[in-house]
Amino acid sequence: VYLSSDNGSTWSNQNATTQVPFGGGTLNFQGAFASIQKIAVSNGRVFIATRSGLYYSDDPALAWVLPATGARDDFIEETFFDVAVGSEGRIFAGTADSVYVSNDNGSTFSSLKDPALFDQGRFSFQRTAIAVSPSSPNTIYIAGNRNNGELSGIWRSDDNGISWRRYAQSGNPGFTPLGSSGRDAFALAVFPDNPDELI
């Protein structure tokens, strides 16, 4: 993770996320931060979603970074595709098979179990993308894709993730924005001034 303390004029990666490259002169890095998926900040706490777990730091310079804890034993080692901050410091983190939520700014996480997000008893996503409305942080979107990379659908919550409803059905009518590339190329964003405009 690169940091800037002068509004982006200069950058440095001299912090706890920088790891030693393997092989002479190669740029191929190993370790948890070899594949960073998303960074989010909540109340001074930095969250880093990676393919090797979810991490956090309360240090602005990232001099130390710790793994987040969750509801399952393998939470630390799971691939986290996204992390987002809702209202009142509520944290949402998405993996391949679940969405986790924290009500204490990331100190603890539990799996979100809303029936609307499940299909035939199984979590309906193979990768998740999460977006929070900047102008209305109680409005949150979750989208997922299938094994073949196609969109599973988009869900919306207007109560900070307490309840969910389907917002867009994949393929209806002709709605296939991801093609078959959703496994690797998948993001959501909400317009800054309108919680109903989603990219």
Side-chain angles (χ1 to χ4, degrees):
V1 177
Y2 283 78
L3 299 176
S4 174
S5 57
D6 54 12
N7 202 31
S9 294
T10 61
W11 295 85
S12 171
N13 67 339
Q14 299 305 303
N15 57 63
T17 68
T18 299
Q19 293 154 332
V20 179
F22 59 89
T26 180
L27 294 178
N28 293 321
F29 284 77
Q30 58 188 345
F33 302 102
S35 183
I36 295 169
Q37 303 294 301
K38 184 78 174 285
I39 299 170
V41 180
S42 172
N43 297 320
R45 176 167 285 184
V46 179
F47 293 92
I48 307 168
T50 79
R51 287 187 175 266
S52 300
L54 180 67
Y55 295 83
Y56 77 95
S57 179
D58 293 327
D59 177 33
L62 297 183
W64 56 268
V65 180
L66 297 174
T69 57
R72 299 191 335 209
D73 291 340
D74 59 349
F75 182 86
I76 291 175
E77 298 176 357
E78 282 195 69
T79 294
F80 280 83
F81 294 110
D82 210 342
V83 59
V85 181
S87 66
E88 301 174 1
R90 202 162 196 231
I91 313 299
F92 298 86
T95 67
D97 65 356
S98 193
V99 173
Y100 293 93
V101 63
S102 173
N103 295 309
D104 52 15
N105 202 38
S107 295
T108 59
F109 283 86
S110 58
S111 185
L112 194 63
K113 295 294 185 184
D114 191 289
L117 299 174
F118 288 77
D119 180 25
Q120 299 178 352
R122 297 181 57 194
F123 201 69
S124 54
F125 308 155
Q126 293 299 316
R127 176 183 174 123
T128 54
I130 306 167
V132 178
S133 167
S135 62
S136 178
N138 279 322
T139 300
I140 301 163
Y141 296 87
I142 291 178
N145 70 287
R146 303 184 182 97
N147 255 340
N148 61 4
E150 295 177 351
L151 183 73
S152 295
I154 303 173
W155 287 258
R156 174 175 170 158
S157 172
D158 290 307
D159 54 12
N160 202 22
I162 303 301
S163 60
W164 298 87
R165 63 181 173 83
R166 187 180 289 273
Y167 183 75
Q169 176 79 33
S170 177
N172 183 22
F175 184 58
T176 56
L178 303 179
S180 60
S181 300
R183 185 70 178 172
D184 299 310
F186 190 15
L188 288 177
V190 186
F191 271 72
D193 58 351
N194 189 342
D196 297 324
E197 289 191 81
L198 181 69
I199 302 172

